[in-house]
Amino acid sequence: MNTPDPTHIITGSDPTITSPAPTPLAGHPAQFLVGAVSRHQFPPDDLPEVAFAGRSNVGKSSLLNRLLNRRNLARVSRTPGRTREINFFAIREQARFVDLPGYGYAAVGRDQRLVWDRVAESYFKERRCLRGVILLIDLRRGLLESDLELIAYLETRGIGFLPVATKIDKLNANPRRQSLVTLEKSLKEQTKLAMAPPLAVSSLDGTGIPTLWEQLERILAAA
Ligand SMILES: Nc1nc2c(ncn2[C@@H]2O[C@H](COP(=O)(O)OP(=O)(O)O)[C@@H](O)[C@H]2O)c(=O)[nH]1
Ligand SMILES: [Mg+2]
């Protein structure tokens, strides 16, 4: 058999040549980059990014801390809606996680502007490295109006999202299953942009965290 000279192989045109698997990011230390209150403070738009969004108090900071294996990298607050800046975290200088401000009663106005946060709107509008949004939903509460508004907004921009059901440790097995079925059904009715059925997680006991990491790596690796 004639072995081709590797220097003459043009990657991309030869289907037998696969690019190396992405280095797993899970378990690597994350670094806090900046808490941006304006788009001028965003880091360079040059690494694959996922953004975490959800209502205030949904458990976003707790989930980020759990994912990044740090007790208080993303501040866990008992006062809802206190985080008004967009927090950027670097992981292995290969990817970034973005902690968006929590939203409250309304996320989007009648004119399809994000009323919850101007900086978040400029983030969604201009961030080319955004690979997808992780949309956190408190499983006990399900999809609320403001979640639906954000989903509708993401639809207008064609931004895909992964639904993640949080605080599942607060529900016993049966209501947990039922709530997940209900959530999956209402998501299907609302949107085609959900990347997968809702993923159930608990930042308290770690349920679902390895699966979420797998999904995150897949989203980050997608072109
Ligand atoms: N039982 C339980 N409580 C949680 C979980 N995640 C967050 N919490 C609690 O929910 C509250 C809000 O959490 P936080 O992470 O600050 O929410 P954020 O406002 O979305 O950032 C805090 O009291 C957390 O301790 C979870 O998975 N299980
Ligand atoms: Mg928070």
Side-chain angles (χ1 to χ4, degrees), residues 25-32 52 58-78 83 87-89 91 97-99 136 166 201-206 209 212-213 216:
L25 299 171
H28 285 282
Q31 187 198 346
F32 173 72
F52 292 72
V58 71
K60 196 153 48 67
S61 299
S62 307
L63 182 63
L64 280 161
N65 286 332
R66 183 85 198 198
L67 281 168
L68 302 176
N69 224 350
R70 296 273 285 266
R71 190 172 281 265
N72 204 6
L73 191 63
R75 196 158 34 95
V76 178
S77 161
R78 286 181 191 276
T83 317
N87 292 306
F88 289 82
F89 303 93
I91 298 138
F97 281 1
V98 180
D99 184 8
L136 276 59
T166 62
V201 304
S202 164
S203 302
L204 198 71
D205 62 23
I209 300 298
L212 178 53
W213 259 117
L216 285 165

Side-chain angles (χ1 to χ4, degrees), residues 96-117:
R96 294 198 186 103
F97 281 1
V98 180
D99 184 8
L100 295 170
Y103 47 84
Y105 302 105
V108 177
R110 284 172 203 277
D111 55 355
Q112 288 296 334
R113 284 187 68 85
L114 287 185
V115 293
W116 120 72
D117 197 282

Side-chain angles (χ1 to χ4, degrees), residues 85-160:
E85 69 272 352
I86 299 186
N87 292 306
F88 289 82
F89 303 93
I91 298 138
R92 288 203 89 196
E93 292 170 16
Q94 287 183 7
R96 294 198 186 103
F97 281 1
V98 180
D99 184 8
L100 295 170
Y103 47 84
Y105 302 105
V108 177
R110 284 172 203 277
D111 55 355
Q112 288 296 334
R113 284 187 68 85
L114 287 185
V115 293
W116 120 72
D117 197 282
R118 280 284 159 82
V119 195
E121 178 162 43
S122 52
Y123 176 83
F124 284 129
K125 276 190 172 155
E126 66 186 59
R127 208 65 180 167
R128 290 181 202 285
C129 286
L130 178 62
R131 296 287 186 265
V133 170
I134 310 302
L135 179 60
L136 276 59
I137 299 143
D138 188 330
L139 189 58
R140 296 166 306 169
R141 313 186 91 199
L143 277 181
L144 298 175
E145 192 56 34
S146 49
D147 302 313
L148 296 174
E149 288 171 358
L150 179 63
I151 290 170
Y153 177 80
L154 295 175
E155 293 259 0
T156 66
R157 308 212 69 88
I159 300 170

Side-chain angles (χ1 to χ4, degrees), residues 156-182:
T156 66
R157 308 212 69 88
I159 300 170
F161 70 92
L162 177 72
V164 168
T166 62
K167 307 191 190 181
I168 64 158
D169 58 275
K170 293 202 178 206
L171 290 171
N172 294 325
N174 265 334
R176 185 188 294 187
R177 249 193 314 272
Q178 277 163 21
S179 306
L180 276 168
V181 169
T182 308

